[in-house]
Amino acid sequence: MNGTPRLRSAYPSTPTPAQKSAALNGSAWSPQGGASPRSPRTSPPAGLTRLVDNHNDNGPLIPFDIVDAPSQRRCVCAFYVLLSAWRFYDYFRLVYSETDSLWFFMKWVVFDGVFLYGLPGLKVPWLELSSSTTTVVFLLHAFLNAMLMFRIQIPFTTWLAGFGKLMYDRELAVAERRVKPASVIQNSSLILGKQIIHILPEGQVNLSRSNQNAFCIGGSKTTATLPIRINQTSPILIELLRFDLDTNSNETITIASKEARKLKKQADRDFGRKDNNTPRELQFAVKKTGLYRLKRVIDESKLDVQRRISDTLVVQCPSASIKPVPSNKCLGQLSDFHLRVDATPPFQIKYSKKLDGQDYGSTTLNIHPENLVSPLARQRTSGALVTTGTEANADVSWARSQHVEIPLNETLGAVGTWQYWIDQVEDACGNTIHYGRQDEVGVYKMSSPTVNEQKFAVHERPRITLSGCDLQNPLKVARGQCKRLPVRSAPTSLEDLADSAYTISYLFTNYDKLGEDGEHTADPTLKLGAVKHNNGPEICDPGLYTLKAVSNSYCSGEVLEPSSCLLENPPQPDLAIHSEKIPDKCAGNTIGLTVDLDFIGTPPFRLVYRITRTGGNVAVKTVSIDTIRTQLELRPSEAGHYIYQFVEISDKIYDPVSLKPKNLLLEQDVKPPASARFADYKPRQNVCLGEAGSFSMYMFGEAPWTLEYELVHGSKREKFIKEHIEDDVFSLETRSLSEGGGEYLLGLTSVIDATGCKVFLEQQAKIEVRHQRPKAAFGELDGKRSALTLENKRIGLPLRLSGEPPWTVTYRNLNDGSKEALTKQLPFTNDRLDAIAEGVYEITDVHDAVCPGSVDASANQFEVQWIPRPSIHIAEGPTVQRRQDRYVKKDVCEADEDALEVSLIGTSPFQLAYDQRLKPERGSQATSRKKLTEGMGVASIRLDTSQPGHYEYTFPELGDHYYDPDRRKFSQLTVEQTVHARPFGRFDEAGRTYSYCQDEEARGEFIPITMTGVAPFHLEFGIKHQANAKPEVITVPSADTNHYRLHIPHRLLALGTHVVTIRKVRDARGCQRKTDFDGPSVLVHVADVPTISPLEATTDYCVGDRISYTLSGTPPFSVFYTFEGIQRKASAPTSIFRRLAEKPGNFTITAISDKTSTETCKAHTKITKMIHELPSVRISKGRVAEVDIHEGDDAEIVFDFGGTPPFEFTYTRSTNAAKGKRSQVLETRHDVSYEHTKSVRASEEGTYEVVSIRDQFCGVSTQGVQGRPGQKVLTF
């Protein structure tokens, strides 16, 4: 009861996990227990069934009482066979129907995965595979699926052949017996011995490439330290080659042994005593600029040390300064200063600016001088700046420091402190000089006495005018006295200059010399005066004073209206009297006196008179009179004799003047009339100079009237009589008032009516006569009547107007074709006339509120000019031609270097943008936008030639300091260039094999070739035979079309296979394409029927070589030859006949026949090959010798040769192998000996041993026979 009944054919029982568990638990039952294999299959007892039910959790998926274990195994195997049959069915479907292989591969990977990973779940005995085993089996199935579904051929034949050769490696030799090749080739006795040398490693020296291989000298930096990097060497002599940047000459600088050891000692300080392998840097100081190169280095062994060509450039340190200019500027002026730069071009300069402490950012200018060609401006692929071999004629002028002055012109449009300073300057080598306040690591900071900062104190321009005095209100001063010119400063937009001092210039014309129009004469006097705290210069002489200019210690200013002042000396006050008695009409007695007072002077008057009465008191009275004529009625209140004496008089200008000398006395003893008056209560009228005044009058009494009146102007008095006045209302009109401007007084004197009674009148009227007619003129901007402004920008033209506001000004633009007159009304004396268009503006007429005026002929025009917009100019020449509206650049070939230089006209810096449009020969066009900022007026633009096609470079916009880029205002400029594709040649049937016959000189196939490009073409072909390393080259100088049929001359062909390649194609444009590697090719096979030809052209062979022939004809072939004087016959079933040279001797082919040949007509030939013995070599008599030498010493290596001289041998130097490590080959050397013994001196550490030896005929290497000279394997 301890086992399951089993069939005879069943597998042996396999322990299962359930069995192991039961054994551990002491259970005696096993599902596949110890029943005898011979027992017949019976049903298990009832007790066993119950026991199985209790353990079914660990049993098979299908219980054994349903399907026993062997049956389950057979079912699984049958299912696997069906899957495999289905798999191969899908494989054959793939072979014939070309169905998708990937789908079938993924399908069977899934099926195999499900089957193999699901099989352990069935728990079938002997099929319960472990996880690792299942994974390995699954990967093998996946590999099989890939081979089948992707139709990868399985090389069973090759595997079998390789296995057979491994088991039985025999080859037919020249003696027609089979020998083992390894026994012939691998002869270890041919190369014996080695020599081991212990020596210090070889040193190396070069100029370090730190700091971008550039240094500078200048300013406080008087020397530059060149780091000479040495590695495991101790130099005793160093020679440096220096190229002078100024003269292009060169000199050799020698560092002697003493100085070299001193530099080495200084370099060793930073390393430990035992650290001899770490590279050192010798710091060698130089004091001259130039291009430095290591010329020669000798170490302590008196040998040259290996050096690397690397140039180090020591240039003048870049410097920048600001050309000093006056630090005081006026508002609106240009900064007008230059940045001076001395540096190796091309270079960059960065400057910043501030206004009253506010930072306005920084600007970087790229400066590339015109016509500069420098290797520093392009990418270098090596460390050499001067081509090796041209040192004698080297031109290094491109590295010289150049002086460039860069103008900076910016409008100072704000009052305050403007500050410009240079931040840094960087030359083409990367030397950067910082002038900023912060220090930066890795750059020089120069504290130079040169000026690198410019400050401007921008001041407001002074503006002055006259206050309280103009042409209508003259300044009246007593004769002999002076008064200050009433100059006042006009407030500006930013500051008040009332307390500042400035200088004025003014014109003066004496009052007596004024013109009829009240203006200055042709030669007025120009005077200067100082003004401080609004106190002008003193003026004493009467006349016209006109402000001309004003300036302070920094700026010229502007004179505003009113700018003219008339100084008058009025007459001293005087008095004339006339008296009449006042009768009593009734009694006829005198009741008083009527005194006519006629004044001369400037009202108001103050008159003092004394009244003396006989027998009475004396009274003094003062009377104020506002007119120049009045009537004083003296009517005493009491009778008596009265004496009236006029004592003194004063007016507005003069102090009291005594009248006693005139003795003006009136006496009387104390014993209606006609009338006239003005219609207005206070008659007053303003008239222009040269016009007449007119007043309405009312007359009283009986007509006709006679009216007496007078006209007073200054000290001049005129009397007039108007008779026969019939109307009681009439208009009184004066004469033309043309003597001068000012105040005229029209006084009524008396009137007589028809009764003949004369009545005294006191009324008067004022007539204000304009001193001048209104005048108009243009003012000045920055001292001139012209202005530069941006295009279409509104500008206010300053006007200077005199007269009564408002003014009506008529003007025109002379540059306007229509010259239409424009009119504008202006309210202020210092107004502005808006202008947008450029041109010359002219004032043609002016009229104020009262009078027509005149225009100053010397200031009636103002010119407005526009600052020109920036433009681009391209100079025509051999490479650039202008065609219609665009420029055409000379055609170039693909990948050629080309550039375009454009001139920029305007004010730097420029903002340049251009569009690059490529129209390729195939495909869609591509467009890109590129932008540049240029600090100078020349820009060099690198043209793209990387792809063939038609290029268009369009410059749509350009900006400068004044104008932003604007496509609408810029004349677009286009440059075209065609980049031609490099020609290409190809075989029409690349890879095809063409046949040539050896004995058919004039026959052979033509090889068709197609070229792309422009005919005619220059072609170059390479023809390489399979046995030759060097190809033959043939040239076709001119192929007139794009198709060419190549026929190879028979003289270049030999028997065998040739590879024909196209090496170079050049078309009519001069463009060419070279194909050095992997070019298109065809095969040319040269054959002869029936013939035998050696595969190698050589006649000398070595033992171990295989002598091979190619046979042409119908196989099988019979080959007849002699060796060691014995006639032999060999059979060749294929077209290749090969025999192993097992011993030296003469091997001659005498005849050949093929399948169709007979004995009598076989091809007779005589091809002789000599088989030579292999050469041998011994180092140190074939032993291993060790030699220890000091650094700088050498050791002798002796080679003993066997064979036919000359001997070519190759030996290697390897690392001395440490215990447990393999040596590494350090170098391989090649040498020649014409004797059987050769001695070589060696000074380098390592193990020296021969790896190959070749005599006149044969060669041997450590890997076996090397072959004949034509079969070289190693290259040296």
Side-chain angles (χ1 to χ4, degrees):
M1 300 283 303
N2 59 349
T4 302
R6 304 179 58 85
L7 298 175
R8 292 191 179 98
S9 60
Y11 287 103
S13 61
T14 303
T16 63
Q19 290 174 305
K20 297 176 183 180
S21 177
L24 293 175
N25 295 328
S27 175
W29 173 82
S30 175
Q32 297 177 354
S36 173
R38 298 179 180 269
S39 301
R41 183 176 182 181
T42 58
S43 298
L48 182 59
T49 302
R50 288 194 301 269
L51 188 59
V52 171
D53 291 339
N54 294 332
H55 295 83
N56 58 5
D57 291 338
N58 294 323
L61 182 65
I62 302 175
F64 293 138
D65 58 347
I66 298 177
V67 180
D68 60 7
S71 299
Q72 291 188 25
R73 285 193 288 270
R74 283 194 293 270
C75 291
V76 171
C77 292
F79 184 73
Y80 178 75
V81 171
L82 290 176
L83 282 179
S84 300
W86 191 10
R87 188 194 322 272
F88 283 99
Y89 170 75
D90 285 345
Y91 166 71
F92 287 108
R93 284 180 59 194
L94 283 172
V95 172
Y96 295 104
S97 62
E98 297 294 335
T99 314
D100 188 9
S101 299
L102 180 62
W103 159 247
F104 281 100
F105 172 71
M106 297 302 298
K107 165 186 171 182
W108 283 105
V109 167
V110 173
F111 283 2
D112 290 339
V114 172
F115 174 76
L116 294 175
Y117 284 101
L119 182 60
L122 296 177
K123 297 183 179 179
V124 178
W126 289 99
L127 296 181
E128 292 182 272
L129 305 178
S130 64
S131 299
S132 58
T133 304
T134 303
T135 302
V136 171
V137 174
F138 171 73
L139 293 177
L140 292 175
H141 280 73
F143 175 75
L144 178 63
N145 291 331
M147 299 288 289
L148 293 175
M149 301 308 158
F150 291 110
R151 289 166 292 175
I152 300 174
Q153 296 182 359
I154 303 175
F156 290 108
T157 304
T158 304
W159 292 350
L160 290 175
F163 180 76
K165 189 171 183 179
L166 180 64
M167 299 301 296
Y168 182 77
D169 184 13
R170 293 290 186 271
E171 191 172 337
L172 278 173
V174 291
E176 286 301 315
R177 65 188 183 91
R178 292 190 176 274
V179 297
K180 196 172 184 178
S183 62
V184 178
I185 297 174
Q186 298 175 0
N187 189 350
S188 59
S189 64
L190 297 176
I191 300 176
L192 295 175
K194 66 174 65 175
Q195 185 159 321
I196 301 174
I197 299 176
H198 299 282
I199 194 173
L200 294 176
E202 182 185 3
Q204 187 181 25
V205 61
N206 65 281
L207 279 176
S208 178
R209 299 177 60 88
S210 59
N211 293 333
Q212 298 182 351
N213 210 20
F215 305 88
C216 74
I217 296 175
S220 60
K221 185 175 175 57
T222 59
T223 61
T225 302
L226 299 183
I228 303 174
R229 187 182 182 90
I230 63 174
N231 185 15
Q232 296 180 344
T233 184
S234 297
I236 61 172
L237 177 66
I238 301 176
E239 291 184 355
L240 294 173
L241 187 63
R242 173 183 170 270
F243 296 88
D244 192 273
L245 302 183
D246 297 324
T247 63
N248 287 331
S249 62
N250 60 74
E251 64 173 335
T252 300
I253 301 174
T254 302
I255 303 176
S257 175
K258 182 177 180 181
E259 186 177 0
R261 286 190 173 93
K262 181 179 179 181
L263 296 176
K264 175 67 165 54
K265 185 177 180 180
Q266 292 174 351
D268 289 338
R269 292 176 181 174
D270 297 331
F271 301 91
R273 293 184 177 181
K274 296 183 179 180
D275 186 1
N276 297 321
N277 297 324
T278 304
R280 269 70 162 165
E281 284 192 356
L282 307 184
Q283 304 297 328
F284 179 66
V286 295
K287 298 183 179 180
K288 295 181 180 180
T289 61
L291 189 144
Y292 290 84
R293 173 181 291 180
L294 275 176
K295 182 179 180 182
R296 186 185 182 194
V297 179
I298 298 177
D299 63 4
E300 293 177 341
S301 62
K302 308 297 184 180
L303 298 177
D304 286 339
V305 182
Q306 181 183 0
R307 67 191 188 280
R308 185 177 61 192
I309 298 299
S310 178
D311 294 339
T312 296
L313 191 60
V314 179
V315 298
Q316 193 71 25
C317 285
S319 64
S321 63
I322 296 178
K323 188 175 182 179
V325 296
S327 60
N328 289 293
K329 294 282 186 178
C330 300
L331 185 65
Q333 284 186 325
L334 299 177
S335 56
D336 191 21
F337 68 97
H338 291 73
L339 302 178
R340 297 187 294 197
V341 181
D342 293 276
T344 299
F347 52 82
Q348 290 183 347
I349 183 170
K350 179 181 179 183
Y351 69 93
S352 303
K353 64 179 178 180
K354 284 185 179 181
L355 173 59
D356 289 337
Q358 182 179 357
D359 194 355
Y360 274 68
S362 59
T363 303
T364 301
L365 301 179
N366 295 315
I367 308 301
H368 190 289
E370 189 174 1
N371 300 324
L372 174 68
V373 178
S374 171
L376 301 177
R378 60 179 182 265
Q379 183 177 3
R380 291 186 287 129
T381 58
S382 68
L385 295 172
V386 173
T387 304
T388 304
T390 62
E391 289 84 351
N393 300 319
D395 181 9
V396 292
S397 59
W398 44 265
R400 297 173 189 167
S401 179
Q402 295 189 19
H403 178 79
V404 179
E405 292 195 2
I406 306 166
L408 286 184
N409 283 304
E410 298 185 4
T411 303
L412 304 176
V415 174
T417 301
W418 291 70
Q419 182 180 4
Y420 293 82
W421 70 90
I422 299 173
D423 290 322
Q424 69 179 41
V425 61
E426 180 180 347
D427 65 8
C429 300
N431 296 310
T432 303
I433 302 299
H434 280 238
Y435 297 96
R437 297 176 178 86
Q438 70 278 4
D439 294 331
E440 296 185 22
V441 177
V443 298
Y444 305 124
K445 180 180 178 183
M446 181 171 288
S447 177
S448 175
T450 58
V451 179
N452 54 32
E453 184 174 316
Q454 177 69 52
K455 288 185 179 180
F456 294 111
V458 180
H459 305 276
E460 182 71 74
R461 294 180 182 272
R463 304 171 70 193
I464 62 169
T465 184
L466 292 177
S467 176
C469 180
D470 55 23
L471 296 178
Q472 310 305 323
N473 302 289
L475 191 64
K476 298 180 179 181
V477 180
R479 185 176 286 108
Q481 295 184 3
C482 299
K483 198 167 186 179
R484 291 191 178 276
L485 189 64
V487 179
R488 296 291 182 270
S489 62
T492 64
S493 59
L494 296 176
E495 56 180 327
D496 190 356
L497 301 178
D499 295 333
S500 61
Y502 44 88
T503 303
I504 63 171
S505 62
Y506 57 93
L507 300 176
F508 168 70
T509 300
N510 197 284
Y511 193 88
D512 297 334
K513 296 181 180 181
L514 290 175
E516 294 183 357
D517 57 355
E519 291 290 344
H520 291 283
T521 59
D523 54 347
T525 303
L526 179 63
K527 296 185 177 182
L528 299 177
V531 178
K532 189 172 184 180
H533 302 297
N534 282 333
N535 292 325
E538 286 191 345
I539 54 175
C540 301
D541 297 330
L544 181 62
Y545 294 83
T546 301
L547 296 175
K548 188 65 177 176
V550 60
S551 63
N552 56 20
S553 55
Y554 307 112
C555 305
S556 60
E558 187 177 8
V559 177
L560 306 179
E561 295 293 338
S563 61
S564 296
C565 179
L566 183 65
L567 177 66
E568 295 180 343
N569 289 145
Q572 288 186 341
D574 198 3
L575 176 65
I577 61 175
H578 177 74
S579 63
E580 290 183 359
K581 295 181 179 179
I582 301 175
D584 186 352
K585 294 183 179 182
C586 298
N589 298 327
T590 301
I591 60 174
L593 291 175
T594 301
V595 183
D596 294 337
L597 301 177
D598 295 326
F599 295 97
I600 293 177
T602 304
F605 300 95
R606 183 175 177 273
L607 179 63
V608 178
Y609 63 94
R610 183 184 295 117
I611 303 174
T612 304
R613 179 185 177 196
T614 304
N617 297 328
V618 177
V620 178
K621 291 189 177 182
T622 301
V623 61
S624 295
I625 300 97
D626 295 330
T627 60
I628 60 173
R629 178 178 177 80
T630 188
Q631 191 177 65
L632 183 62
E633 195 175 77
L634 302 175
R635 291 189 180 187
S637 60
E638 297 179 8
H641 182 75
Y642 291 89
I643 299 174
Y644 300 94
Q645 183 182 10
F646 295 93
V647 179
E648 61 182 17
I649 184 175
S650 64
D651 63 2
K652 182 179 180 181
I653 305 301
Y654 291 92
D655 293 333
V657 177
S658 177
L659 296 175
K660 289 181 180 180
K662 298 186 69 173
N663 196 21
L664 298 177
L665 297 175
L666 293 176
E667 294 184 10
Q668 73 167 346
D669 290 324
V670 183
K671 294 201 139 199
S675 179
R677 67 179 180 86
F678 292 103
D680 295 333
Y681 177 70
K682 289 184 178 181
R684 184 181 181 89
Q685 195 174 55
N686 294 327
V687 297
C688 299
L689 187 66
E691 295 182 354
S694 178
F695 296 93
S696 295
M697 302 292 299
Y698 293 149
M699 307 300 295
F700 300 95
E702 297 181 9
W705 291 274
T706 298
L707 179 64
E708 294 182 359
Y709 64 95
E710 60 184 3
L711 188 63
V712 180
H713 179 234
S715 61
K716 185 177 180 182
R717 186 188 300 273
E718 296 181 79
K719 295 183 179 292
F720 300 91
I721 299 176
K722 181 71 173 177
E723 299 179 334
H724 309 297
I725 301 174
E726 298 293 340
D727 299 326
D728 57 354
V729 178
F730 82 103
S731 177
L732 177 61
E733 185 172 347
T734 67
R735 63 171 177 79
S736 176
L737 306 177
S738 59
E739 288 79 3
E743 183 179 75
Y744 287 76
L745 296 178
L746 178 63
L748 301 180
T749 307
S750 63
V751 63
I752 301 175
D753 60 1
T755 61
C757 182
K758 186 177 183 179
V759 179
F760 178 79
L761 301 177
E762 295 182 354
Q763 274 196 309
Q764 66 180 12
K766 289 185 179 181
I767 303 175
E768 289 289 339
V769 179
R770 299 276 293 275
H771 287 277
Q772 291 179 327
R773 290 180 177 274
K775 186 171 60 176
F778 279 115
E780 294 181 348
L781 285 178
D782 299 335
K784 54 184 182 296
R785 292 184 178 87
S786 63
L788 277 174
T789 183
L790 299 180
E791 184 178 338
N792 291 327
K793 183 178 180 180
R794 185 181 300 275
I795 183 174
L797 307 183
L799 286 177
R800 302 294 178 259
L801 305 172
S802 62
E804 295 292 334
W807 290 267
T808 302
V809 177
T810 304
Y811 65 98
R812 62 181 177 177
N813 187 349
L814 297 181
N815 290 16
D816 189 359
S818 62
K819 295 186 179 180
E820 178 184 358
L822 304 174
T823 301
K824 187 172 184 180
Q825 194 173 59
L826 303 170
F828 306 109
T829 57
N830 298 287
D831 218 320
R832 291 186 178 271
L833 192 66
D834 290 336
I836 298 179
E838 66 174 343
V840 178
Y841 288 83
E842 181 183 53
I843 302 175
T844 58
D845 191 20
V846 64
H847 198 291
D848 68 356
V850 179
C851 305
S854 61
V855 179
D856 187 354
S858 63
N860 66 334
Q861 291 184 349
F862 198 103
E863 183 178 7
V864 177
Q865 294 179 335
W866 286 347
I867 298 174
R869 284 187 169 271
S871 60
I872 297 178
H873 174 70
I874 298 177
E876 297 187 44
T879 60
V880 180
Q881 298 291 331
R882 184 178 179 89
R883 297 178 185 174
Q884 298 180 354
D885 61 340
R886 57 188 56 205
Y887 291 88
V888 179
K889 194 84 166 63
K890 184 178 180 181
D891 296 353
V892 296
C893 298
E894 180 183 357
D896 288 352
E897 293 289 336
D898 200 6
L900 175 67
E901 286 197 358
V902 297
S903 299
L904 307 177
I905 302 173
T907 304
S908 62
F910 298 91
Q911 296 86 43
L912 174 65
Y914 65 94
D915 296 326
Q916 175 181 309
R917 181 179 293 105
L918 168 62
K919 297 179 181 177
E921 297 176 355
R922 297 181 183 85
S924 58
Q925 66 179 13
T927 303
S928 62
R929 164 64 63 92
K930 299 182 179 180
K931 294 184 178 181
L932 302 173
T933 299
E934 294 293 335
M936 300 292 286
V938 177
S940 180
I941 298 174
R942 184 176 181 181
L943 301 181
D944 188 3
T945 59
S946 59
Q947 299 184 43
H950 185 74
Y951 286 82
E952 286 189 1
Y953 300 89
T954 303
F955 299 85
E957 59 187 29
L958 177 65
D960 65 354
H961 176 72
Y962 293 107
Y963 291 96
D964 293 331
D966 190 348
R967 290 174 177 263
R968 299 171 297 177
K969 301 294 184 179
F970 181 73
S971 297
Q972 181 172 289
L973 187 145
T974 302
V975 178
E976 295 182 349
Q977 185 181 45
T978 300
V979 177
H980 298 296
R982 292 183 293 177
F984 180 77
R986 62 178 178 84
F987 294 103
D988 290 355
E989 298 177 85
R992 176 184 166 183
T993 300
Y994 293 86
S995 298
Y996 277 72
C997 294
Q998 185 182 20
D999 56 353
E1000 294 184 6
E1001 291 280 341
R1003 299 180 61 185
E1005 295 184 84
F1006 287 93
I1007 303 174
I1009 301 170
T1010 301
M1011 288 80 68
T1012 61
V1014 178
F1017 297 91
H1018 175 89
L1019 304 175
E1020 185 177 292
F1021 299 92
I1023 303 174
K1024 180 181 177 299
H1025 192 271
Q1026 63 182 6
N1028 295 331
K1030 182 178 180 181
E1032 297 285 345
V1033 178
I1034 62 172
T1035 302
V1036 178
S1038 177
D1040 297 331
T1041 65
N1042 291 76
H1043 299 278
Y1044 182 75
R1045 300 180 66 197
L1046 174 66
H1047 184 269
I1048 302 175
H1050 192 271
R1051 59 183 174 81
L1052 301 177
L1053 298 176
L1055 287 177
T1057 302
H1058 301 73
V1059 179
V1060 182
T1061 58
I1062 302 174
R1063 293 167 60 92
K1064 184 171 69 175
V1065 181
R1066 184 172 68 244
D1067 65 359
R1069 300 191 184 105
C1071 301
Q1072 72 177 12
R1073 181 189 299 271
K1074 291 184 178 180
T1075 306
D1076 294 331
F1077 304 100
D1078 299 331
S1081 64
V1082 295
L1083 299 178
V1084 174
H1085 181 72
V1086 180
D1088 198 5
V1089 182
T1091 59
I1092 180 170
S1093 301
L1095 289 179
E1096 296 91 357
T1098 182
T1099 59
D1100 294 298
Y1101 283 80
C1102 304
V1103 172
D1105 287 348
R1106 289 173 177 81
I1107 305 175
S1108 301
Y1109 299 87
T1110 179
L1111 310 176
S1112 61
T1114 304
F1117 299 91
S1118 295
V1119 180
F1120 302 89
Y1121 66 93
T1122 61
F1123 180 70
E1124 294 180 332
I1126 303 173
Q1127 291 284 344
R1128 303 175 188 272
K1129 178 181 178 182
S1131 176
T1134 63
S1135 60
I1136 298 297
F1137 175 69
R1138 180 183 292 111
R1139 287 296 182 266
L1140 179 67
E1142 61 172 315
K1143 61 177 72 173
N1146 186 307
F1147 183 81
T1148 303
I1149 302 291
T1150 58
I1152 181 176
S1153 64
D1154 62 1
K1155 182 178 180 180
T1156 59
S1157 301
T1158 63
E1159 188 67 23
T1160 58
C1161 62
K1162 61 184 178 181
H1164 293 275
T1165 184
K1166 187 177 182 180
I1167 303 176
T1168 301
K1169 305 294 184 182
M1170 290 299 299
I1171 302 175
H1172 301 275
E1173 187 65 68
L1174 295 176
S1176 63
V1177 61
R1178 305 285 190 273
I1179 295 180
S1180 302
K1181 305 300 181 179
R1183 299 178 307 231
V1184 177
E1186 294 190 11
V1187 180
D1188 294 330
I1189 63 173
H1190 296 287
E1191 183 177 3
D1193 295 336
D1194 55 17
E1196 182 181 27
I1197 304 176
V1198 179
F1199 299 87
D1200 296 317
F1201 304 103
T1204 305
F1207 299 97
E1208 298 180 17
F1209 62 100
T1210 301
Y1211 62 98
T1212 61
R1213 182 176 67 89
S1214 306
T1215 59
N1216 294 331
K1219 188 175 181 180
K1221 295 184 180 179
R1222 299 182 62 183
S1223 62
Q1224 301 291 329
V1225 176
L1226 298 177
E1227 61 177 320
T1228 302
R1229 297 181 182 180
H1230 180 70
D1231 206 343
V1232 178
S1233 176
Y1234 296 92
E1235 304 293 338
H1236 284 82
T1237 301
K1238 184 176 180 66
S1239 176
V1240 175
R1241 310 297 297 185
S1243 61
E1244 295 175 294
E1245 183 183 49
T1247 300
Y1248 294 81
E1249 55 185 331
V1250 176
V1251 295
S1252 67
I1253 172 68
R1254 185 183 304 281
D1255 64 358
Q1256 184 179 0
F1257 303 104
C1258 303
V1260 175
S1261 70
T1262 55
Q1263 285 75 33
V1265 178
Q1266 192 176 351
R1268 301 170 309 283
Q1271 297 176 322
K1272 287 186 179 180
V1273 177
L1274 299 180
T1275 58
F1276 306 100

